Coordinates of all heavy atoms in Angstrom, one line a residue:
M1 N -2.2 -16.8 1.9 CA -2.0 -15.8 0.8 C -0.5 -15.9 0.5 O 0.3 -15.8 1.4 CB -2.3 -14.5 1.4 CG -2.5 -13.4 0.4 SD -2.9 -11.8 1.0 CE -4.6 -12.1 1.6
R2 N -0.2 -16.0 -0.7 CA 1.1 -15.9 -1.1 C 1.7 -14.6 -1.2 O 1.1 -13.6 -1.1 CB 1.2 -16.6 -2.6 CG 0.9 -18.0 -2.6 CD 1.4 -18.6 -3.8 NE 1.1 -20.2 -3.8 CZ 1.9 -21.1 -3.4 NH1 3.1 -20.7 -2.8 NH2 1.6 -22.3 -3.3
G3 N 3.1 -14.5 -1.4 CA 3.7 -13.2 -1.4 C 3.3 -12.2 -2.4 O 3.2 -11.1 -2.1
A4 N 3.0 -12.7 -3.6 CA 2.5 -11.8 -4.6 C 1.0 -11.2 -4.3 O 0.8 -10.1 -4.6 CB 2.4 -12.6 -6.0
A5 N 0.3 -12.1 -3.6 CA -1.0 -11.6 -3.3 C -1.1 -10.5 -2.3 O -1.8 -9.5 -2.4 CB -1.9 -12.8 -2.8
V6 N -0.3 -10.7 -1.1 CA -0.2 -9.7 -0.2 C 0.5 -8.4 -0.8 O 0.1 -7.4 -0.3 CB 0.5 -10.2 1.2 CG1 2.0 -10.4 1.0 CG2 0.2 -9.2 2.3
A7 N 1.4 -8.6 -1.7 CA 2.0 -7.4 -2.3 C 0.8 -6.7 -3.1 O 0.8 -5.4 -3.1 CB 3.1 -7.8 -3.3
A8 N 0.0 -7.4 -3.7 CA -1.1 -6.7 -4.5 C -2.1 -6.1 -3.6 O -2.6 -4.9 -3.9 CB -1.8 -7.8 -5.3
V9 N -2.3 -6.6 -2.5 CA -3.2 -6.0 -1.4 C -2.6 -4.6 -0.9 O -3.2 -3.6 -0.8 CB -3.4 -7.0 -0.2 CG1 -4.2 -6.2 0.9 CG2 -4.2 -8.1 -0.6
A10 N -1.2 -4.8 -0.7 CA -0.6 -3.5 -0.1 C -0.6 -2.4 -1.2 O -1.0 -1.2 -1.0 CB 0.9 -3.8 0.2
A11 N -0.3 -2.8 -2.5 CA -0.3 -1.7 -3.6 C -1.7 -1.3 -3.9 O -1.9 -0.1 -4.0 CB 0.4 -2.3 -4.9
G12 N -2.7 -2.2 -3.8 CA -4.0 -2.0 -4.0 C -4.6 -1.0 -3.0 O -5.4 -0.1 -3.3
G13 N -4.1 -1.2 -1.8 CA -4.6 -0.3 -0.8 C -4.2 1.2 -1.0 O -5.0 2.2 -0.8
L14 N -2.9 1.4 -1.5 CA -2.5 2.8 -1.8 C -3.2 3.3 -2.9 O -3.7 4.5 -2.8 CB -1.0 2.7 -2.0 CG -0.1 2.5 -0.8 CD1 1.3 1.9 -1.2 CD2 -0.1 3.6 0.1
V15 N -3.4 2.6 -4.0 CA -4.0 3.0 -5.2 C -5.6 3.2 -5.0 O -6.1 4.3 -5.2 CB -3.8 2.0 -6.4 CG1 -4.6 2.5 -7.7 CG2 -2.4 2.0 -6.8
G16 N -6.2 2.2 -4.3 CA -7.5 2.3 -4.0 C -7.9 3.3 -3.1 O -8.9 4.0 -3.1
G17 N -7.1 3.6 -2.0 CA -7.4 4.6 -1.1 C -7.3 5.9 -1.7 O -8.3 6.8 -1.5
Y18 N -6.4 6.2 -2.6 CA -6.4 7.4 -3.2 C -7.6 7.6 -4.3 O -8.2 8.6 -4.3 CB -5.0 7.6 -4.1 CG -5.0 8.9 -4.9 CD1 -5.0 10.1 -4.3 CD2 -5.2 8.9 -6.3 CE1 -5.1 11.4 -5.0 CE2 -5.3 10.0 -7.1 CZ -5.2 11.2 -6.4 OH -5.3 12.4 -7.2
G19 N -7.8 6.5 -4.9 CA -8.9 6.5 -5.9 C -10.3 6.8 -5.2 O -11.1 7.6 -5.7
V20 N -10.6 6.1 -4.1 CA -11.8 6.4 -3.4 C -11.9 7.7 -2.9 O -12.9 8.5 -3.0 CB -11.9 5.3 -2.1 CG1 -13.0 5.7 -1.2 CG2 -12.1 3.9 -2.7
A21 N -10.8 8.3 -2.4 CA -10.8 9.7 -1.8 C -11.0 10.7 -2.9 O -11.8 11.6 -2.9 CB -9.5 10.0 -1.1
R22 N -10.4 10.4 -4.1 CA -10.5 11.4 -5.3 C -11.9 11.3 -5.8 O -12.6 12.3 -6.1 CB -9.5 11.0 -6.3 CG -9.6 12.0 -7.5 CD -8.4 11.8 -8.4 NE -8.6 12.5 -9.6 CZ -7.5 13.4 -10.0 NH1 -6.4 13.4 -9.4 NH2 -7.8 14.1 -11.0
W23 N -12.4 10.2 -6.1 CA -13.7 10.0 -6.8 C -14.9 10.3 -5.9 O -16.0 10.7 -6.4 CB -13.8 8.6 -7.4 CG -12.8 8.5 -8.6 CD1 -12.6 9.5 -9.6 CD2 -11.9 7.4 -8.9 NE1 -11.6 9.1 -10.5 CE2 -11.2 7.8 -10.0 CE3 -11.8 6.2 -8.4 CZ2 -10.3 7.0 -10.6 CZ3 -10.8 5.4 -8.9 CH2 -10.1 5.7 -10.0
T24 N -14.8 10.1 -4.6 CA -15.9 10.4 -3.7 C -15.8 11.8 -3.2 O -16.8 12.2 -2.7 CB -16.1 9.4 -2.6 OG1 -14.9 9.6 -1.8 CG2 -16.2 8.0 -3.0
K25 N -14.5 12.4 -3.3 CA -14.3 13.7 -2.7 C -14.4 13.7 -1.3 O -14.8 14.7 -0.6 CB -15.2 14.8 -3.5 CG -15.0 14.8 -4.9 CD -15.4 16.2 -5.4 CE -15.3 16.3 -6.9 NZ -14.4 15.6 -7.7
K26 N -14.3 12.5 -0.6 CA -14.3 12.3 0.8 C -13.0 11.6 1.2 O -12.9 10.4 1.2 CB -15.5 11.4 1.3 CG -16.9 12.2 0.9 CD -18.1 11.3 1.3 CE -19.3 11.8 0.9 NZ -19.7 13.2 1.0
R27 N -12.1 12.4 1.6 CA -10.8 11.9 2.1 C -10.8 10.9 3.2 O -10.2 9.9 3.1 CB -9.8 13.0 2.5 CG -9.4 13.9 1.2 CD -8.6 15.0 1.6 NE -7.3 14.5 1.8 CZ -6.2 15.4 2.1 NH1 -6.5 16.7 2.4 NH2 -5.0 14.8 2.4
P28 N -11.7 11.1 4.1 CA -11.8 10.1 5.2 C -12.2 8.7 4.7 O -11.7 7.6 5.2 CB -12.8 10.6 6.2 CG -12.8 12.0 6.0 CD -12.5 12.2 4.5
L29 N -13.1 8.6 3.6 CA -13.5 7.4 3.1 C -12.3 6.8 2.4 O -12.1 5.5 2.4 CB -14.6 7.6 2.1 CG -15.4 6.4 1.6 CD1 -15.9 5.6 2.8 CD2 -16.5 6.8 0.7
G30 N -11.4 7.5 1.7 CA -10.2 7.0 1.2 C -9.2 6.4 2.2 O -8.6 5.4 2.0
G31 N -9.2 7.2 3.4 CA -8.4 6.6 4.5 C -8.9 5.3 5.1 O -8.1 4.5 5.5
V32 N -10.2 5.1 5.0 CA -10.7 3.8 5.5 C -10.3 2.7 4.6 O -9.9 1.6 5.0 CB -12.3 3.9 5.5 CG1 -13.0 2.5 5.7 CG2 -12.7 4.8 6.6
A33 N -10.3 2.9 3.2 CA -9.9 1.9 2.3 C -8.4 1.6 2.4 O -8.0 0.5 2.4 CB -10.2 2.4 0.8
L34 N -7.6 2.7 2.6 CA -6.2 2.6 2.8 C -5.9 1.8 4.1 O -5.0 0.9 4.1 CB -5.6 4.0 2.9 CG -4.0 4.1 3.3 CD1 -3.3 3.8 2.0 CD2 -3.7 5.3 3.8
A35 N -6.6 2.1 5.1 CA -6.4 1.4 6.4 C -6.8 0.1 6.4 O -6.1 -0.8 7.0 CB -7.1 2.3 7.6
A36 N -7.8 -0.2 5.7 CA -8.4 -1.6 5.7 C -7.4 -2.5 5.0 O -7.1 -3.6 5.4 CB -9.8 -1.7 5.0
A37 N -6.9 -2.1 3.7 CA -5.9 -2.9 3.0 C -4.6 -3.0 3.8 O -4.0 -4.1 3.8 CB -5.7 -2.2 1.7
G38 N -4.3 -2.0 4.5 CA -3.1 -2.0 5.3 C -3.2 -3.0 6.4 O -2.2 -3.7 6.8
A39 N -4.4 -3.1 7.1 CA -4.5 -4.0 8.2 C -4.5 -5.5 7.6 O -3.9 -6.4 8.3 CB -5.9 -3.7 8.9
V40 N -5.1 -5.7 6.5 CA -5.1 -7.1 5.9 C -3.7 -7.4 5.6 O -3.2 -8.6 5.9 CB -6.0 -7.2 4.7 CG1 -5.7 -8.5 4.0 CG2 -7.5 -7.0 5.1
A41 N -2.9 -6.6 4.9 CA -1.6 -6.8 4.6 C -0.6 -7.0 5.8 O 0.1 -8.0 5.9 CB -1.0 -5.7 3.8
A42 N -0.9 -6.1 6.9 CA -0.1 -6.4 8.1 C -0.3 -7.6 8.8 O 0.7 -8.3 9.3 CB -0.4 -5.2 9.0
R43 N -1.6 -8.0 8.8 CA -1.8 -9.4 9.4 C -1.2 -10.4 8.6 O -0.6 -11.4 9.2 CB -3.3 -9.6 9.5 CG -3.8 -10.9 10.3 CD -5.2 -11.0 10.3 NE -5.7 -11.3 8.9 CZ -6.8 -10.7 8.4 NH1 -7.4 -9.9 9.1 NH2 -7.2 -11.1 7.2
E44 N -1.2 -10.4 7.3 CA -0.5 -11.4 6.5 C 1.0 -11.4 6.7 O 1.7 -12.4 6.8 CB -1.0 -11.3 5.1 CG -0.5 -12.4 4.1 CD -1.2 -13.7 4.7 OE1 -2.2 -13.7 5.3 OE2 -0.7 -14.8 4.2
W45 N 1.6 -10.1 6.7 CA 3.1 -10.0 7.0 C 3.4 -10.6 8.3 O 4.4 -11.3 8.4 CB 3.5 -8.6 6.8 CG 3.3 -8.0 5.6 CD1 3.4 -8.5 4.3 CD2 3.0 -6.7 5.2 NE1 3.2 -7.6 3.4 CE2 3.0 -6.4 3.9 CE3 2.7 -5.5 6.0 CZ2 2.7 -5.2 3.2 CZ3 2.4 -4.2 5.5 CH2 2.5 -4.1 4.1
Q46 N 2.7 -10.5 9.3 CA 2.9 -11.0 10.6 C 2.9 -12.5 10.6 O 3.7 -13.2 11.0 CB 1.8 -10.5 11.6 CG 1.9 -11.2 12.9 CD 3.1 -10.9 13.8 OE1 3.7 -9.8 13.7 NE2 3.5 -11.8 14.6
R47 N 1.8 -13.1 9.9 CA 1.6 -14.4 9.8 C 2.7 -15.2 9.1 O 3.2 -16.2 9.5 CB 0.3 -14.7 9.2 CG 0.0 -16.2 9.3 CD -1.4 -16.6 8.5 NE -1.2 -16.5 7.0 CZ -0.5 -17.5 6.2 NH1 -0.1 -18.5 6.7 NH2 -0.5 -17.3 4.9
T48 N 3.2 -14.6 8.1 CA 4.2 -15.3 7.1 C 5.7 -14.9 7.4 O 6.5 -15.7 7.2 CB 3.9 -14.9 5.6 OG1 4.1 -13.5 5.4 CG2 2.5 -15.4 5.2
S49 N 5.8 -13.8 7.9 CA 7.2 -13.3 8.1 C 7.6 -12.9 9.4 O 8.8 -12.4 9.6 CB 7.5 -12.2 7.1 OG 7.2 -12.6 5.8
G50 N 6.7 -12.8 10.3 CA 7.1 -12.4 11.7 C 6.8 -11.0 12.1 O 6.6 -10.1 11.2
G51 N 7.0 -10.6 13.3 CA 6.6 -9.3 13.8 C 7.5 -8.2 13.3 O 7.1 -7.2 13.0
A52 N 8.8 -8.5 13.3 CA 9.9 -7.5 12.8 C 9.6 -7.1 11.4 O 9.6 -6.0 10.9 CB 11.3 -8.0 12.9
A53 N 9.4 -8.2 10.5 CA 9.2 -7.9 9.1 C 7.7 -7.1 8.9 O 7.7 -6.2 8.1 CB 9.1 -9.2 8.3
A54 N 6.7 -7.4 9.7 CA 5.5 -6.9 9.6 C 5.5 -5.4 10.1 O 4.9 -4.4 9.5 CB 4.4 -7.6 10.6
A55 N 6.3 -5.1 11.1 CA 6.5 -3.7 11.6 C 7.2 -2.9 10.5 O 6.9 -1.8 10.3 CB 7.3 -3.7 12.9
G56 N 8.2 -3.5 9.9 CA 9.0 -2.7 8.9 C 8.1 -2.5 7.6 O 8.2 -1.3 7.1
L57 N 7.4 -3.5 7.2 CA 6.6 -3.2 6.1 C 5.4 -2.3 6.4 O 5.0 -1.5 5.4 CB 6.1 -4.6 5.6 CG 7.1 -5.4 4.8 CD1 6.7 -6.9 4.6 CD2 7.5 -4.8 3.5
T58 N 4.9 -2.4 7.5 CA 3.8 -1.5 7.9 C 4.3 0.0 8.0 O 3.6 1.0 7.4 CB 3.2 -1.8 9.3 OG1 2.6 -3.2 9.2 CG2 2.1 -0.9 9.7
A59 N 5.6 0.2 8.5 CA 6.1 1.4 8.4 C 6.5 1.9 7.0 O 6.2 3.1 6.6 CB 7.5 1.5 9.2
A60 N 6.8 1.0 6.2 CA 7.0 1.3 4.7 C 5.7 1.8 4.1 O 5.7 2.7 3.2 CB 7.7 0.1 4.0
Y61 N 4.6 1.1 4.5 CA 3.3 1.3 3.9 C 2.9 2.8 4.2 O 2.4 3.5 3.4 CB 2.3 0.3 4.4 CG 1.0 0.4 3.9 CD1 0.6 -0.1 2.6 CD2 -0.1 0.9 4.6 CE1 -0.7 -0.1 2.1 CE2 -1.4 1.0 4.2 CZ -1.7 0.5 2.8 OH -3.1 0.4 2.3
V62 N 3.1 3.2 5.5 CA 2.7 4.6 6.1 C 3.6 5.5 5.3 O 3.2 6.6 4.9 CB 2.8 4.6 7.5 CG1 2.7 6.0 8.0 CG2 1.7 3.7 8.1
A63 N 5.0 5.2 5.1 CA 5.9 6.1 4.4 C 5.6 6.3 3.1 O 5.7 7.4 2.5 CB 7.3 5.5 4.6
A64 N 5.1 5.2 2.4 CA 4.7 5.3 1.0 C 3.5 6.2 0.9 O 3.5 7.1 0.0 CB 4.3 4.0 0.4
F65 N 2.5 6.1 1.7 CA 1.3 7.0 1.7 C 1.8 8.5 1.9 O 1.5 9.4 1.1 CB 0.4 6.6 2.8 CG -0.6 7.6 3.2 CD1 -1.6 7.9 2.2 CD2 -0.6 8.3 4.3 CE1 -2.6 8.9 2.4 CE2 -1.5 9.3 4.6 CZ -2.5 9.5 3.6
A66 N 2.6 8.7 2.9 CA 3.1 10.1 3.2 C 3.9 10.5 2.0 O 3.9 11.8 1.7 CB 3.8 10.0 4.5
G67 N 4.8 9.7 1.5 CA 5.8 10.2 0.5 C 5.1 10.4 -0.8 O 5.6 11.2 -1.7
A68 N 3.9 9.9 -1.1 CA 3.2 10.2 -2.3 C 2.7 11.6 -2.4 O 2.7 12.3 -3.5 CB 1.9 9.2 -2.4
H69 N 2.5 12.3 -1.3 CA 2.2 13.6 -1.2 C 3.2 14.7 -1.8 O 2.9 15.3 -2.9 CB 1.6 14.1 0.1 CG 0.4 13.4 0.6 ND1 0.4 12.0 1.1 CD2 -0.9 13.7 0.5 CE1 -0.7 11.7 1.4 NE2 -1.7 12.7 1.0
P70 N 4.3 14.7 -1.3 CA 5.3 15.6 -2.0 C 5.7 15.1 -3.2 O 6.0 15.9 -4.2 CB 6.5 15.5 -0.9 CG 6.4 14.3 -0.1 CD 4.9 14.1 -0.1
L71 N 5.8 13.9 -3.6 CA 6.1 13.3 -4.9 C 5.1 13.8 -5.9 O 5.4 14.1 -7.1 CB 6.2 11.8 -4.8 CG 6.7 11.1 -6.0 CD1 8.2 11.6 -6.4 CD2 6.9 9.6 -5.8
A72 N 3.9 13.9 -5.6 CA 2.7 14.3 -6.5 C 3.0 15.8 -6.9 O 2.5 16.1 -8.1 CB 1.4 14.1 -5.7
K73 N 3.6 16.6 -6.1 CA 3.9 17.9 -6.5 C 4.9 18.0 -7.6 O 4.8 18.9 -8.4 CB 4.3 18.8 -5.3 CG 3.2 18.9 -4.3 CD 3.6 19.7 -3.1 CE 2.4 19.8 -2.2 NZ 2.6 20.6 -1.1
K74 N 5.7 17.0 -7.8 CA 6.7 16.9 -8.8 C 6.3 16.2 -10.0 O 6.8 16.5 -11.1 CB 8.0 16.3 -8.2 CG 8.6 17.1 -7.1 CD 10.0 16.6 -6.7 CE 10.5 17.3 -5.5 NZ 10.8 18.8 -5.7
M75 N 5.5 15.2 -9.8 CA 5.2 14.4 -11.0 C 3.7 14.1 -11.3 O 3.4 13.5 -12.3 CB 6.0 12.9 -10.9 CG 5.5 12.1 -9.8 SD 6.3 10.7 -9.5 CE 6.7 10.0 -11.0
G76 N 2.8 14.7 -10.5 CA 1.4 14.5 -10.7 C 0.9 13.4 -9.7 O 1.7 12.6 -9.3
A77 N -0.4 13.5 -9.4 CA -0.9 12.6 -8.4 C -0.9 11.1 -8.7 O -0.4 10.3 -8.0 CB -2.4 13.0 -8.1
W78 N -1.5 10.8 -9.9 CA -1.6 9.3 -10.2 C -0.2 8.7 -10.5 O 0.1 7.6 -9.8 CB -2.5 9.1 -11.4 CG -3.9 9.1 -11.1 CD1 -4.8 10.0 -11.4 CD2 -4.6 8.0 -10.2 NE1 -6.1 9.7 -10.8 CE2 -6.0 8.5 -10.1 CE3 -4.2 7.0 -9.5 CZ2 -6.8 7.7 -9.4 CZ3 -5.0 6.2 -8.8 CH2 -6.5 6.6 -8.8
P79 N 0.8 9.4 -11.2 CA 2.1 8.8 -11.3 C 2.7 8.6 -9.9 O 3.4 7.6 -9.7 CB 2.8 9.9 -12.1 CG 1.8 10.5 -13.0 CD 0.6 10.6 -12.0
A80 N 2.5 9.6 -9.0 CA 3.2 9.4 -7.7 C 2.5 8.2 -6.9 O 3.3 7.4 -6.3 CB 2.9 10.6 -6.8
V81 N 1.2 8.1 -6.9 CA 0.6 7.0 -6.3 C 1.1 5.6 -6.9 O 1.4 4.7 -6.2 CB -1.0 7.1 -6.4 CG1 -1.7 5.9 -5.9 CG2 -1.4 8.3 -5.5
F82 N 1.1 5.5 -8.2 CA 1.5 4.3 -8.8 C 3.0 4.0 -8.5 O 3.4 2.8 -8.4 CB 1.2 4.3 -10.3 CG -0.2 4.1 -10.7 CD1 -0.8 5.0 -11.4 CD2 -0.9 3.0 -10.1 CE1 -2.2 4.9 -11.8 CE2 -2.2 2.8 -10.5 CZ -2.9 3.8 -11.2
S83 N 3.8 5.0 -8.4 CA 5.2 4.8 -8.1 C 5.4 4.3 -6.7 O 6.2 3.3 -6.5 CB 6.0 6.2 -8.2 OG 5.9 6.6 -9.6
V84 N 4.7 4.9 -5.7 CA 4.8 4.4 -4.3 C 4.2 3.0 -4.2 O 4.7 2.2 -3.4 CB 4.4 5.4 -3.2 CG1 5.2 6.6 -3.4 CG2 2.9 5.7 -3.3
A85 N 3.2 2.7 -4.8 CA 2.5 1.5 -4.8 C 3.4 0.4 -5.3 O 3.4 -0.7 -4.8 CB 1.1 1.5 -5.6
G86 N 4.0 0.7 -6.5 CA 4.9 -0.2 -7.0 C 6.1 -0.5 -6.1 O 6.6 -1.7 -5.9
G87 N 6.7 0.5 -5.4 CA 7.7 0.3 -4.6 C 7.3 -0.5 -3.3 O 8.0 -1.5 -2.9
M88 N 6.1 -0.3 -2.8 CA 5.5 -1.0 -1.6 C 5.3 -2.5 -2.1 O 5.6 -3.4 -1.4 CB 4.2 -0.4 -1.3 CG 3.6 -1.0 0.0 SD 4.7 -0.7 1.4 CE 5.0 -2.3 2.0
A89 N 4.8 -2.7 -3.3 CA 4.6 -4.1 -3.8 C 5.9 -4.8 -3.8 O 6.0 -6.0 -3.3 CB 3.8 -4.2 -5.2
L90 N 6.9 -4.2 -4.4 CA 8.2 -4.8 -4.5 C 8.8 -5.1 -3.1 O 9.3 -6.3 -2.9 CB 9.2 -4.0 -5.2 CG 10.6 -4.5 -5.6 CD1 10.5 -5.8 -6.3 CD2 11.4 -3.4 -6.2
A91 N 8.7 -4.2 -2.1 CA 9.2 -4.4 -0.8 C 8.4 -5.6 -0.1 O 9.0 -6.5 0.4 CB 9.0 -3.2 0.0
S92 N 7.1 -5.7 -0.3 CA 6.4 -6.7 0.3 C 6.6 -8.0 -0.4 O 6.9 -9.0 0.3 CB 4.8 -6.4 0.1 OG 4.1 -7.5 0.6
W93 N 6.8 -8.1 -1.6 CA 7.1 -9.4 -2.3 C 8.5 -9.8 -1.9 O 8.8 -11.0 -1.7 CB 7.1 -9.2 -3.8 CG 7.5 -10.3 -4.5 CD1 6.8 -11.5 -4.8 CD2 8.8 -10.5 -5.1 NE1 7.5 -12.4 -5.4 CE2 8.8 -11.9 -5.7 CE3 10.0 -9.8 -5.1 CZ2 10.0 -12.4 -6.2 CZ3 11.0 -10.3 -5.8 CH2 11.0 -11.6 -6.3
A94 N 9.4 -8.9 -1.8 CA 10.8 -9.3 -1.4 C 10.9 -9.9 -0.1 O 11.7 -10.9 0.2 CB 11.7 -8.1 -1.5
V95 N 10.0 -9.5 0.9 CA 10.1 -9.9 2.2 C 9.3 -11.3 2.3 O 9.7 -12.2 3.1 CB 9.5 -8.9 3.2 CG1 9.3 -9.5 4.6 CG2 10.6 -7.8 3.3
T96 N 8.3 -11.5 1.5 CA 7.3 -12.6 1.7 C 7.4 -13.6 0.7 O 6.9 -14.7 0.7 CB 5.9 -12.1 1.8 OG1 5.5 -11.5 0.4 CG2 5.6 -11.2 2.9
R97 N 8.4 -13.5 -0.3 CA 8.5 -14.4 -1.4 C 8.9 -15.7 -1.0 O 8.6 -16.7 -1.7 CB 9.3 -13.9 -2.5 CG 10.8 -13.9 -2.2 CD 11.7 -13.3 -3.3 NE 13.1 -13.5 -3.0 CZ 13.9 -12.7 -2.5 NH1 13.4 -11.5 -2.0 NH2 15.1 -13.0 -2.2
K98 N 9.6 -15.9 0.1 CA 10.1 -17.3 0.4 C 9.0 -18.2 1.0 O 9.1 -19.3 1.1 CB 11.2 -17.2 1.6 CG 10.7 -16.5 2.8 CD 11.8 -16.3 3.8 CE 11.2 -15.5 4.9 NZ 12.2 -14.4 5.5
E99 N 7.8 -17.6 1.3 CA 6.6 -18.3 1.7 C 6.2 -19.3 0.6 O 6.2 -18.8 -0.6 CB 5.6 -17.4 2.1 CG 4.2 -18.0 2.4 CD 3.0 -17.3 2.0 OE1 3.1 -16.1 1.7 OE2 1.9 -17.9 2.1
G100 N 5.8 -20.5 1.0 CA 5.1 -21.4 0.1 C 5.5 -21.3 -1.4 O 5.2 -21.8 -2.2

């Protein structure tokens, strides 16, 4: 998986997790989507960039999820989710872009 693809998985996990939770009205189901995408991304970060990068990006993924909540109170839910997803995609791409 190239850097842009894993960046899309990470961003998609944040957007998709929120979307699933919102549209199904089942927050745990959104959490499953968020965690599944995060696990795929973390495995790819580990494979392409090593353990330290994977740990840092995984921490950033969790921080993006957590940070979207207070940000949503200031700018709205969807804008907050898209903002943190964009930041996560950029961080992932920056770390993994040297691959292939």
Side-chain angles (χ1 to χ4, degrees):
M1 188 179 299
R2 295 200 177 267
V6 71
V9 168
L14 291 162
V15 173
Y18 175 70
V20 167
R22 181 172 178 131
W23 291 316
T24 65
K25 300 201 184 335
K26 296 185 188 315
R27 292 179 76 180
L29 194 55
V32 168
L34 177 82
V40 169
R43 186 180 66 228
E44 190 63 17
W45 293 327
Q46 168 71 31
R47 186 184 72 76
T48 61
S49 302
L57 287 168
T58 300
Y61 187 77
V62 172
F65 166 71
H69 291 82
L71 191 58
K73 292 179 181 183
K74 297 194 182 292
M75 65 187 322
W78 280 113
V81 170
F82 284 124
S83 294
V84 299
M88 188 65 236
L90 182 61
S92 176
W93 174 81
V95 170
T96 60
R97 74 178 186 271
K98 63 185 170 220
E99 176 212 348

